[in-house]
Amino acid sequence: MYVKKVFLFLFILPLFAFAQKMTTLKGTVKNKNKQPIENVSIRYNNIGTTTDKNGRYIIRVPYKKEITLVFSHISYSVFTKKHTANNRNGVRLSVILTPKTEELDRIVIQDNRKKLQGLKAIDVNVVKNVIGPNAGVENILMTLPGVNNNNELSTQYNVRGGNFDENLVYVNGIEIYRPFLIRSGQQEGLSFINPSMVQNINFSAGGFQAKYGDKLSSVLDITYRKPTEITTTLDLSLLGGSITFEAPLIDEKLTAISSLRYRDNSLFVNSKQIETNFRPRFIDFQTFLSYKASDDLQFHFLGNFSLNDYNYTPISRRTRFGTVSAPLELTVFYSGKEQDNYLTLFGAFSTEYKVNNYLSFTGTFSRYNTQEEEHYDISAAYSIGEVDANIGSENFGNVDFSQGIGSQLNHARNDLDALITNMQLKGTYKKNKYQIDFGVKYQKEDVRDRIREWEIIDSLGFSIRPPSHIRNNEPYNDPVIGVAITPFQNIRGDNEVQINRISGFVQLNHKHFWNDNEIWYSIGLRTQNWNVSSDGNTSKTQTIISPRAQFAIKPNWKKDMLFRISGGWYSQPPSYRELRDSNGNINGALKAQKSIHYVAGMDYSFEMWERPFKLTTEIYYKDLSDINAYTIDNVRIRYRADNNTTAYAQGLDVRLNGEFVPGSDSWVSLGYLKTEENINNRGAISRPSDQRIKLGILFQDYVPNIPNLKAYLNLVYNTGVPGGSPSYADVYQYQERLRDYKRADFGVSYIFTDAKKKHKIGWLSKFKELSVGLELFNMFDIQNSITNTWVRDVYSKTQFGIPNFLTGRILNFKIEMKF
């Protein structure tokens, strides 16, 4: 017994002595707005912990011994403090961290998880600050390398040689669709994505994971937020406005956020070279409801109503083109009008159920309905004249004589009604450092399309027949008596098409450390089975399999670098738009387009001028087969509806962002792209999206003595793309490029009050945020063009490509308030 007591005494005494040398340190970590910060790392020597969702932490520290504590977070500057605990019963230490960018938040959040996956995470708080005619999420994408759009009135974009239809867009995990009949950017109106409701934005320009759908180019993944306080936000400008209301209800079990938007594009249209009686108006309402029945069960509803009312009456147009030594002028007088209407209804109901700590499911049912009408009768009488370029002439700058006179009549009665129904079940299993995502989806597309579209061209009194028509050498030979006038272009069709799809995926993610190097990889597989029914005939069922993989490593080096590679076999089963050829015929046997992606990238974070910077580079190659070739007119894509084309795309994307000005984040993007296609083995030609060079500069600044006065500059330079070809023409004969796209948008704003500058008394105390600003679009008034209008001279048999210029210089005033 004595031996046991001695043993226990000798064993417990050192532990007791050791315990007397340690104590407890606890506290909270918050930002300057007194908001708790989660996942802050607190370390000294090799001991550490992290804060919880309330910003609280607790850690054991030596008693009466000085240590150096390091508080670090990916979005905040590192805070270091020497501390000595002088109380055996525990001490408190609470700190406030400063954002890495003081005056302007970063656009790209430094999130290792997203970087490892090859996703660009974009900060929604700065979306509203980026200047552009279409303010919103897509406006920021245009500043990234590899993303192009030469039409400031459109929110559509090309990614690495693809077209608009090759981009996936998700809102809360639900795929969003673009309208079918939209022909021009000025008809497009508002994007589905409402920036006032967005919480998270993730974007991938290629090599994306298997959990995303079956498209060839990119993924934009949007999450709408769940409000935490009652707030009303009002945005007003000369282009329209929006009002957003959000609130937690029923003891915060129910959250609701709703937004009403209105847009009027008259400012932009009136700056173009066509005189019109035109006021395009667009209205949009969205709501997102979320109800938390329990910790394991949640219900969500996302709804959208959108109406685009487009009434267009052109009056006249005057455009000069040609060269300095031989200028020409096109004069057009119009009669008639265009009346278009685009109604969109969307609703999605989803349920989230957490089975246990490892397994969760999400079920979604959604419906999308678009009703589109495109009706117009427009007659145009035109003349092409030679302009006197002789500086000493009395008639300098005026038209000497007309070398081509003609007219054309365009008619359309196009109606489309599409209903897309989705049922989807997705699951996630997490255990240790492994995660398995899986899902299955059924989709039915029901499209009813009536096409009545024709064009008659007359030059000097003679109707021009299409190239396929038998020529009789008019006017030199007598015309055949009684022969009807043949339209130069005539499209007629009545299509009723149903597409049934079943798709599924499974994906394994794993993250771990190997010799202190952080490693992440993902391996996944997608499959889709579909068939097409058209006019009572059902096509043969087709199936595609799409394997994909990503790998990333962050070495434990002194330099902060991350390397990643990704790739896979991506397939895009045809949508209704791809099934329909330029004559309105349906090819139900059309196969899926295929693309093999090879992507390698690197992120390098460093300090320059004692300020943070990051260099991101990616090199890619895409091998495309069974391609459905197309031509593009403004934003309307017309497909060949066959698989007789092969293609490739290759390029390099580079982006440098950092604090060029202390406390504000700016960047420079540079992209190189080359993409070519081979149609029917006739040889390689440039694809319509072959944008060789893209340079984008986004510069943000503020006045040091007046930090609430901020300035934003957005510069874009894109080399010209192939200018398209006239109707019925051979694209191999029309490979000339449009002029380079150059644009500069500038804005200034003054912030009266916000979260960093609150007022407790006075009229400003009623606002949570209040700012006013001026925006100058196309500040250098550069004439950019997106398409050509083709006019013909019957005698010279010459076709002239007249550039359709986009918007000029425009000044906009805006005010933003939150209360």
Side-chain angles (χ1 to χ4, degrees), residues 541-706:
T541 298
Q542 300 186 60
T543 302
I544 57 101
I545 296 176
S546 175
R548 308 174 188 180
Q550 296 80 32
F551 174 83
I553 180 170
K554 192 175 189 305
N556 185 26
W557 295 346
K558 291 184 179 180
K559 293 185 177 180
D560 187 356
M561 304 185 73
L562 182 146
F563 302 90
R564 60 180 174 269
I565 57 173
S566 61
W569 190 350
Y570 295 78
S571 298
Q572 181 169 318
S575 64
Y576 172 75
R577 188 185 290 108
E578 297 165 71
L579 294 172
R580 197 183 87 175
D581 67 13
S582 58
N583 294 318
N585 302 315
I586 299 298
N587 179 9
L590 189 69
K591 295 186 291 185
Q593 302 182 82
K594 301 177 181 62
S595 176
I596 301 177
H597 287 202
Y598 306 91
V599 183
M602 178 199 72
D603 292 346
Y604 175 37
S605 299
F606 59 97
E607 286 195 358
M608 185 167 58
W609 308 315
E610 297 183 351
R611 297 193 291 270
F613 284 83
K614 186 175 77 169
L615 176 67
T616 302
T617 61
E618 280 193 344
I619 187 171
Y620 59 89
Y621 180 84
K622 297 195 284 189
D623 183 8
L624 301 108
S625 59
D626 290 332
I627 293 303
N628 187 359
Y630 63 91
T631 58
I632 186 167
D633 180 12
N634 204 306
V635 298
R636 171 173 285 186
I637 298 174
R638 296 186 183 273
Y639 288 95
R640 290 170 55 96
D642 61 36
N643 297 108
N644 299 334
T645 302
T646 58
Y648 74 90
Q650 62 185 21
L652 173 67
D653 291 341
V654 180
R655 180 169 177 262
L656 175 65
N657 68 287
E659 295 184 12
F660 292 92
V661 173
S664 64
D665 197 51
S666 303
W667 66 85
V668 178
S669 298
L670 178 64
Y672 167 77
L673 164 70
K674 183 178 181 181
T675 179
E676 293 182 326
E677 62 187 6
N678 185 348
I679 304 175
N680 290 324
N681 293 319
R682 295 181 59 188
I685 58 172
S686 295
R687 303 194 77 194
S689 56
D690 186 28
Q691 192 106 58
R692 292 296 172 91
I693 301 294
K694 188 263 179 70
L695 174 65
I697 299 176
L698 182 68
F699 187 77
Q700 305 184 78
D701 199 0
Y702 61 95
V703 179
N705 295 329
I706 315 176

Side-chain angles (χ1 to χ4, degrees), residues 309-324:
D309 192 13
Y310 182 88
N311 295 318
Y312 177 65
T313 304
I315 299 174
S316 64
R317 169 182 176 174
R318 190 179 301 272
T319 303
R320 290 197 172 180
F321 63 102
T323 63
V324 175

